[in-house]
């Protein structure tokens, strides 16, 4: 019994390293960093337990609950969805992990199926409940066990460069190629564009409802986007109950995007 308790304590301490250092990537020259993903799920508690296996820490911004990882927040909303992430414009999102086999073993033991295994670099994709695809890429040089890594957007071949250029222009991402993918790179994260054979569905109403960017000086940033012709689903507004300033836009393919100001200031 003492050995078992000691093993549990070691596991707890290992995973506590990451959340204590949890923060979003530093803002780029446009004041933007990747911020969060919002998932609509049937059983939020089931998701909390699964993400907890990987070291997520429950934190709050006002009355809003978030799951905190280095580099990204996950927000869970209870609800019924039309479909999972695959087949939508955000096929999946991904984490970099220090040891991918350890993560794989934990989630396999929890009953989650592996849908794809890849090499160079070593990585694999699993399916969370509500058909949400998550990719884990191994990086033995990480100083923490896990950190947010990428958002994987899916579009037709003819639209790949147009979509990347939009993220570069709108959010100040740097156009690069990462692991063979056209990418818009941010400090501590990246948006990767992958090819789809057909036009993908918008994210709104699906299990992965939207992605989020944290923006310094959001009100002025929104004015700049409006002047450039960007149409807002929800204009800039302050939400004191959440301790945030927010706005919603949609990318040219139908990915719903929440712009926030306030997540970067959260402390665990």
């Amino acid at each position: 019994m003492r050995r078992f308790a000691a093993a549990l304590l070691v596991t707890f301490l290992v995973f506590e390293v990451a959340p204590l250092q949890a923060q979003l990537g530093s803002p780029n020259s446009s004041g933007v960093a990747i911020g969060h993903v919002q998932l609509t799920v049937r059983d939020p508690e089931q998701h909390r337990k699964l993400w907890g296996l990987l070291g997520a820490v429950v934190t709050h911004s006002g009355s809003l609950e978030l799951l905190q990882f280095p580099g990204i927040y996950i927000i869970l909303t209870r609800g019924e969805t039309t479909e999972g992430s695959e087949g939508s414009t955000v096929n999946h999102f991904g984490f970099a992990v220090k040891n991918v086999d350890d993560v794989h073993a934990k989630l396999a033991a929890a009953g989650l199926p592996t849908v794809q295994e890849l090499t160079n670099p070593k990585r694999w994709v699993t399916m969370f409940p509500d058909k949400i695809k998550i990719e884990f890429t191994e990086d033995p040089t990480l100083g923490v066990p896990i950190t947010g890594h990428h958002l994987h957007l899916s579009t037709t071949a003819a639209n790949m460069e147009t979509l990347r250029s939009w993220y570069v222009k709108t959010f100040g991402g740097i156009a690069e190629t990462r692991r063979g993918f056209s990418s818009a790179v941010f400090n501590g994260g990246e948006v990767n564009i992958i090819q789809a054979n057909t036009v993908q569905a918008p994210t709104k109403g699906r299990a992965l409802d939207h992605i989020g960017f944290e923006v310094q000086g959001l009100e002025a940033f929104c004015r700049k986007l409006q002047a450039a012709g960007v149409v807002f689903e929800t204009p800039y507004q302050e939400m004191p109950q959440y301790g945030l300033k927010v706005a919603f836009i949609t990318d040219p393919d139908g990915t719903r995007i929440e712009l926030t100001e306030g997540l970067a200031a959260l402390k665990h």
Side-chain angles (χ1 to χ4, degrees), residues 61-131:
S61 182
S63 61
L64 178 67
E65 181 181 279
L66 308 95
L67 302 181
Q68 183 184 51
F69 284 100
I72 199 165
Y73 290 95
I74 297 172
I75 301 173
L76 302 174
T77 301
R78 185 187 300 275
E80 295 292 327
T81 59
T82 57
E83 257 298 351
S85 59
E86 192 168 28
S88 80
T89 55
V90 182
N91 183 276
H92 63 272
F93 64 103
F95 291 83
V97 297
K98 197 172 184 68
N99 188 313
V100 77
D101 290 334
D102 285 353
V103 174
H104 192 178
K106 288 179 183 296
L107 295 183
L112 298 188
T114 298
V115 297
Q116 192 176 19
E117 294 187 50
L118 301 159
T119 57
N120 196 29
K122 186 176 181 180
R123 59 198 191 275
W124 59 275
V125 181
T126 192
M127 191 70 75
F128 268 57
D130 302 282
K131 297 188 286 187

Side-chain angles (χ1 to χ4, degrees), residues 29-265:
S29 60
S30 297
V32 177
I34 291 174
H36 74 279
V37 293
Q38 182 136 353
L39 310 179
T40 302
V41 301
R42 295 175 178 85
D43 186 351
E45 184 56 31
Q46 179 187 31
H47 278 263
R48 287 189 198 96
K49 290 177 180 178
L50 291 169
W51 290 113
L53 292 175
L54 304 181
V57 168
V58 177
T59 189
H60 294 84
S61 182
S63 61
L64 178 67
E65 181 181 279
L66 308 95
L67 302 181
Q68 183 184 51
F69 284 100
I72 199 165
Y73 290 95
I74 297 172
I75 301 173
L76 302 174
T77 301
R78 185 187 300 275
E80 295 292 327
T81 59
T82 57
E83 257 298 351
S85 59
E86 192 168 28
S88 80
T89 55
V90 182
N91 183 276
H92 63 272
F93 64 103
F95 291 83
V97 297
K98 197 172 184 68
N99 188 313
V100 77
D101 290 334
D102 285 353
V103 174
H104 192 178
K106 288 179 183 296
L107 295 183
L112 298 188
T114 298
V115 297
Q116 192 176 19
E117 294 187 50
L118 301 159
T119 57
N120 196 29
K122 186 176 181 180
R123 59 198 191 275
W124 59 275
V125 181
T126 192
M127 191 70 75
F128 268 57
D130 302 282
K131 297 188 286 187
I132 299 168
K133 285 177 66 176
I134 313 293
E135 181 176 355
F136 298 91
T137 301
E138 186 166 273
D139 181 357
T141 69
L142 283 179
V144 292
I146 184 170
T147 186
H149 187 254
H150 67 269
L151 307 170
H152 232 145
L153 277 55
S154 185
T155 190
T156 57
N159 198 39
M160 292 178 69
E161 185 52 42
T162 300
L163 187 60
R164 177 174 66 171
S165 296
W166 187 86
Y167 279 87
V168 168
K169 178 182 178 182
T170 304
F171 298 117
I174 298 173
E176 293 186 10
T177 299
R178 294 287 180 96
R179 303 176 309 286
F181 300 114
S182 295
S183 303
V185 178
F186 297 83
N187 297 329
E190 56 199 58
V191 175
N192 304 143
I193 313 296
I194 58 176
Q195 182 178 333
N197 294 327
T198 60
V199 174
Q200 303 293 280
T203 59
K204 187 174 183 178
R206 297 178 76 97
L208 201 166
D209 182 85
H210 63 268
I211 61 177
F213 289 89
E214 173 78 353
V215 182
Q216 287 184 331
L218 180 58
E219 186 173 15
F221 186 84
C222 288
R223 288 199 297 267
K224 182 179 177 181
L225 293 187
Q226 287 175 318
V230 174
V231 177
F232 280 72
E233 174 189 326
T234 303
Y236 170 87
Q237 57 185 295
E238 297 184 6
M239 304 189 74
Q241 69 272 35
Y242 299 139
L244 297 172
K245 302 169 184 178
V246 305
F248 278 90
I249 62 174
T250 304
D251 81 8
D253 269 19
T255 298
R256 194 170 183 233
I257 301 169
E258 183 175 12
L259 310 177
T260 63
E261 184 177 9
L263 291 182

